[in-house]
Amino acid sequence: MMDTKATVWNLVNGTKEIGSTASKSRLRDLQTSPRGDCFATASEDGTARVWSFEPVQPLSPPLIHKSAVLSVSFSSDENLLVTACADGTALIWVITYMAHNRPIPD
């Protein structure tokens, strides 16, 4: 079975929070930001994405890669997201506005 969703649960009361992430293919990794206010997903469809927890919604458009994204990692200041791909590439994305739950400037 292919897992294409990451669902956010409230561990205090055991309920499922509203919203979940969705991908066209299997999720390979999920990392919470250092402050814990957002998270990033890596997917076999060649995308990574930054999400908010409350409400669960995308903070970024899909970050497009040439091959499956195997892992994601935030910098300690949450300004960068590093992605590692199946083809051996690693990319560094500036995500300052996404990780701080602010809209991306024009």
Side-chain angles (χ1 to χ4, degrees):
M1 184 166 133
M2 194 164 52
D3 194 0
T4 61
K5 287 194 330 185
T7 302
V8 177
W9 292 85
N10 182 323
L11 295 179
V12 174
N13 62 21
T15 61
K16 183 165 57 168
E17 295 293 316
I18 297 173
S20 63
T21 68
S23 175
K24 293 178 183 174
S25 65
R26 191 169 75 153
L27 295 177
R28 295 298 303 247
D29 192 21
L30 184 147
Q31 292 292 317
T32 303
S33 66
R35 282 196 326 255
D37 57 351
C38 65
F39 62 97
T41 56
S43 178
E44 286 185 353
D45 67 2
T47 63
R49 204 158 194 175
V50 179
W51 303 83
S52 65
F53 276 111
E54 294 181 34
V56 177
Q57 65 185 9
L59 292 175
S60 75
L63 305 174
I64 306 297
H65 299 72
K66 292 181 180 178
S67 67
V69 183
L70 303 178
S71 66
V72 290
S73 183
F74 287 92
S75 62
S76 60
D77 62 5
E78 296 185 0
N79 290 323
L80 303 173
L81 183 73
V82 177
T83 56
C85 300
D87 65 4
T89 61
L91 297 175
I92 300 172
W93 302 83
V94 177
I95 60 159
T96 303
Y97 291 93
M98 295 175 228
H100 296 289
N101 292 317
R102 296 189 299 236
I104 302 169
D106 294 329

